[in-house]
Amino acid sequence: MSSSNSSKQQTYSSRQSVQGKDNGQSGSLGKPADYVYFDRNLSGFSEEAMTRAKSAQLKMEHYYKVAVDSAIERNTRRVDLERRLQSETMMSEERKNRQLQQLGKKESTFLRLKRTKLGLDDFRTVKVIGKGAFGEVRLVQKIDTGKIYAMKLLKKDEMLKKDQLAHVRAERDVLAESDSPWVVQLFYSFQDPSHLYLIMEFLPGGDLMTMLIKYDTFSEDVTRFYLAECVLAIEAVHNLGFIHRDIKPDNILIDKDGHIKLSDFGLSTGFHKQHDSSYYQRLLESGSNASPHGPVQSSRNSVMVNSINLTMTNKDQIATWKANRRKLAYSTVGTPDYIAPEIFSQKGYGKECDWWSLGTIMFECLVGYPPFCSENTHETYQKIMQWQRYLAFPEDVHLSREAEDLIRRLITSDDKRLPVEQIKRHHFFYGVDWDVIRRIDAPFVPSLRSITDTSYFPTDELDQVSDIPVVDPNAASKDLAFLGYTFKRFSTTAPAF
């Protein structure tokens, strides 16, 4: 017998002897005389063994959690369909049975899909359409189906180095939980040793920032349309139990019909959490140029808007600010122009911070630049913190009383900011039919030449890359930090393209 085994046997014997003395006799508690008490001391195991054991534990727990959750979801879908069919009194039993059988086939197909391991080689890169601090966005085509998606790649190293793990997980969770028409739909997520991948629907109309750079300002009718859709989109995120925290024109995407959807939920959080604001402090390390005031003509008729017309303004400084604004979108710094003051204060905040952001976007749509933009981010931060002093409407911009009033009721202290129901009832939104707005004609509809048209994205400013990113062969140890990231959506419908 080895020395280690001998030592363990002595331990067991001594514990058994002590137990016998305590009880008076071994059988007093119903245990046999030769019962062995194991010493659950982990001090003898190496750090590597403990790490491997913990990894195995987490993976097993996750495996069974996913299996149980999937079974519950399948049963819920079956019960929901059965209840709907029971209420269909005019439908024949044969047709009801066919629908139940169709659901069974879809469930079987989905189970096969979940067992299939997706990877980068299942997609062909068409073009890089966006870059950020931690990765890039590509237009891709799934090789087996030919369907078009937007693929967001995130570098694990950068995520861990910049302490962004909670942020990237928040984005994946929001997209996975949402089936709202106001949120970009996530179809798949997966990972390899170096990268995380989000496979989302491709929205070919670009983003609101690109439109603002191109058109300078919008009329009040056009602004009303986009603001109303943003209200419904933000409300949908709040109803999921999340705060977006990063509402800005860059994250408001335009679909093929000209309607908006929210994207980029990397800074979103649940209502019960408070952010440490360390991310936002990095916003103060780099600057952006200020812009002077710019004129705009506004009109107010109804939500049925005319097409957008380019406002012919000749403002060199506005153009300079907007050029720098584009650069900030690609940097690790970003822009603080749309961030509510309570987020910077580190004293906690609620969903009201998203309505402040909406107010700054409304100001930019009507005036041509955000209300607190400055030559650098530190000055912008100072203006936001002293918003009572710096919020001003330029004299040469003529806004309706309703528009100015709504801006002032959004860009205000969080305890006075309008909640969503009062926003919807505000006079600025008079004439908006909130239930059908997504079905009316948008003021701008992308003119697309093909399903892979990227003309509404500034791809000329981006470096194009090969199909396959560089994979770090030594990155396998990082996988545990991203356990549970994989996702496949159960859907009866195909993506837009």
Side-chain angles (χ1 to χ4, degrees), residues 345-479:
S345 67
Q346 304 187 45
K347 295 180 181 178
Y349 51 86
K351 57 187 177 182
E352 298 82 12
C353 66
D354 287 341
W355 301 123
W356 169 288
S357 301
L358 187 68
T360 61
I361 292 173
M362 180 178 179
F363 186 103
E364 183 175 2
C365 289
L366 296 173
V367 177
Y369 51 87
F372 307 109
C373 68
S374 304
E375 291 186 358
N376 57 68
T377 52
H378 184 74
E379 289 184 14
T380 300
Y381 164 77
Q382 295 294 341
K383 288 183 177 181
I384 291 173
M385 297 305 294
Q386 303 176 56
W387 61 267
Q388 299 95 330
R389 176 182 175 186
Y390 288 101
L391 178 60
F393 293 84
E395 294 181 357
D396 56 349
V397 176
H398 304 289
L399 304 182
S400 68
R401 286 180 298 176
E402 294 87 354
E404 181 174 338
D405 182 74
L406 180 57
I407 291 173
R408 290 189 182 278
R409 289 175 179 268
L410 296 175
I411 305 179
T412 185
S413 56
D414 54 349
D415 59 329
K416 296 180 181 178
R417 229 167 278 157
L418 292 181
V420 63
E421 291 305 323
Q422 291 186 34
I423 292 173
K424 289 181 177 179
R425 292 196 298 266
H426 193 275
H427 291 302
F428 179 76
F429 290 118
Y430 177 78
V432 174
D433 190 336
W434 297 95
D435 295 328
V436 301
I437 188 171
R438 197 168 185 90
R439 297 197 294 272
I440 72 171
D441 292 336
F444 162 76
V445 179
S447 177
L448 303 172
R449 297 185 297 271
S450 69
I451 63 173
T452 59
D453 189 343
T454 59
S455 57
Y456 294 96
F457 293 84
T459 55
D460 293 341
E461 305 171 20
L462 304 174
D463 297 328
Q464 296 302 312
V465 296
S466 62
D467 280 7
I468 303 176
V470 178
V471 177
D472 180 5
N474 301 317
S477 61
K478 306 185 187 84
D479 286 350

Side-chain angles (χ1 to χ4, degrees), residues 127-156:
K127 186 177 287 189
V128 175
I129 58 175
K131 280 185 179 289
F134 306 106
E136 62 193 23
V137 180
R138 301 179 177 192
L139 179 67
V140 299
Q141 185 173 33
K142 199 164 186 290
I143 293 175
D144 60 346
T145 64
K147 293 177 180 176
I148 298 298
Y149 300 94
M151 172 190 283
K152 186 173 184 177
L153 295 82
L154 298 168
K155 300 174 184 176
K156 287 185 177 180

Side-chain angles (χ1 to χ4, degrees), residues 306-345:
N306 297 322
S307 61
I308 293 176
N309 296 313
L310 180 62
T311 53
M312 303 303 293
T313 58
N314 185 17
K315 299 291 185 179
D316 293 337
Q317 288 178 298
I318 289 180
T320 302
W321 179 84
K322 288 179 176 177
N324 288 333
R325 175 70 175 80
R326 173 69 74 183
K327 293 175 184 176
L328 278 174
Y330 301 146
S331 72
T332 57
V333 177
T335 173
D337 286 289
Y338 310 93
I339 297 174
E342 62 265 25
I343 294 182
F344 288 117
S345 67

Side-chain angles (χ1 to χ4, degrees), residues 29-204:
L29 295 179
K31 293 184 173 56
D34 58 349
Y35 186 84
V36 176
Y37 291 86
F38 288 92
D39 184 6
R40 300 182 181 276
N41 186 356
L42 303 179
S43 60
F45 293 98
S46 66
E47 183 178 349
E48 180 183 2
M50 293 296 295
T51 301
R52 288 175 177 270
K54 187 63 176 177
S55 174
Q57 176 191 349
L58 293 174
K59 290 179 179 179
M60 288 286 287
E61 290 176 351
H62 173 70
Y63 174 83
Y64 284 106
K65 180 181 183 302
V66 170
V68 171
D69 289 346
S70 297
I72 293 173
E73 290 170 3
R74 287 196 301 274
N75 184 65
T76 301
R77 288 192 288 265
R78 174 83 180 191
V79 170
D80 287 345
L81 178 59
E82 288 176 345
R83 287 175 178 170
R84 289 199 304 270
L85 293 177
Q86 285 178 357
S87 63
E88 295 288 344
T89 57
M90 302 299 293
M91 186 181 296
S92 66
E93 289 297 322
E94 182 181 357
R95 187 176 177 185
K96 291 179 180 180
N97 290 331
R98 280 203 306 269
Q99 292 204 17
L100 290 171
Q101 290 173 359
Q102 288 173 359
L103 176 63
K105 291 179 181 178
K106 290 172 184 174
E107 294 287 3
S108 298
T109 301
F110 183 56
L111 285 173
R112 286 194 294 271
L113 174 64
K114 293 188 72 171
R115 289 193 293 268
T116 303
K117 186 175 181 179
L118 281 178
L120 192 62
D121 53 357
D122 292 303
F123 300 88
R124 179 180 68 85
T125 295
V126 178
K127 186 177 287 189
V128 175
I129 58 175
K131 280 185 179 289
F134 306 106
E136 62 193 23
V137 180
R138 301 179 177 192
L139 179 67
V140 299
Q141 185 173 33
K142 199 164 186 290
I143 293 175
D144 60 346
T145 64
K147 293 177 180 176
I148 298 298
Y149 300 94
M151 172 190 283
K152 186 173 184 177
L153 295 82
L154 298 168
K155 300 174 184 176
K156 287 185 177 180
D157 277 340
E158 292 297 320
M159 294 287 104
L160 295 172
K161 190 185 304 180
K162 304 292 185 180
D163 196 23
Q164 298 292 302
L165 183 58
H167 295 163
V168 71
R169 190 53 187 254
E171 177 172 34
R172 180 263 184 211
D173 290 347
V174 174
L175 294 175
E177 292 179 26
S178 171
D179 58 358
S180 169
W182 300 107
V183 175
V184 174
Q185 190 168 38
L186 173 69
F187 290 97
Y188 315 105
S189 63
F190 57 91
Q191 59 181 298
D192 61 26
S194 293
H195 294 84
L196 302 172
Y197 302 89
L198 293 167
I199 307 298
M200 301 173 288
E201 63 177 319
F202 172 53
L203 302 182

